[in-house]
Amino acid sequence: MELQGCIDRLYQVESRYREFLNEAVESTKREFWSLPKDQQVKEKKLEIVQSKVDVLIAQEKQCDAEVEAILAEIQTILKEQGKSTALVSEIRAYYEDSKANWKAAKMTELYS
């Protein structure tokens, strides 16, 4: 196991998740704008967004699980090297903050 390989995998997970979210947002917008003009109302937009929530939550849980598995590997590597495992907590905190900010931005984009 190599630390840099784990870090690279974290970036890959982040990239895949962001790509998935971007596509979900774009798909939602397309679905809304393809409705007849008289149906392009806020209630319909909310309905479309709600129809995708379960898939989005499942994808987020999968991403969280992948991140936690990689963080467990990083922790093992650091312990084997006799180093502090504080990096794991720092990465986890960054991940949670980044994810929360990104989700908030995407939700604002969808609801505006």
Side-chain angles (χ1 to χ4, degrees):
M1 280 189 285
E2 176 191 319
L3 192 57
Q4 188 57 53
C6 291
I7 302 295
D8 292 345
R9 287 188 8 244
L10 282 171
Y11 283 119
Q12 291 168 357
V13 169
E14 178 185 35
S15 178
R16 268 196 337 266
Y17 182 64
R18 286 185 179 215
E19 190 176 306
F20 174 83
L21 280 179
N22 279 332
E23 179 50 39
V25 168
E26 291 309 311
S27 167
T28 301
K29 288 179 181 179
R30 283 192 304 271
E31 191 173 335
F32 177 75
W33 293 117
S34 70
L35 294 171
K37 271 282 190 221
D38 65 327
Q39 291 183 32
Q40 292 178 10
V41 295
K42 188 170 188 160
E43 291 78 19
K44 208 60 163 153
K45 186 186 282 190
L46 294 176
E47 187 179 303
I48 294 168
V49 170
Q50 285 301 313
S51 74
K52 299 178 185 297
V53 167
D54 289 343
V55 172
L56 292 170
I57 289 172
Q59 185 66 32
E60 181 179 353
K61 285 182 179 181
Q62 179 183 334
C63 181
D64 290 348
E66 287 183 61
V67 168
E68 284 303 319
I70 296 168
L71 290 178
E73 285 182 51
I74 291 172
Q75 186 164 350
T76 299
I77 292 168
L78 292 172
K79 282 181 179 179
E80 287 174 355
Q81 295 176 350
K83 296 181 180 174
S84 165
T85 58
L87 177 63
V88 173
S89 297
E90 292 170 19
I91 293 171
R92 185 177 289 116
Y94 169 81
Y95 169 72
E96 292 298 333
D97 287 347
S98 178
K99 183 175 72 166
N101 290 334
W102 223 66
K103 280 171 48 177
K106 290 299 164 187
M107 293 306 285
T108 299
E109 187 179 336
L110 277 175
Y111 287 118
S112 61

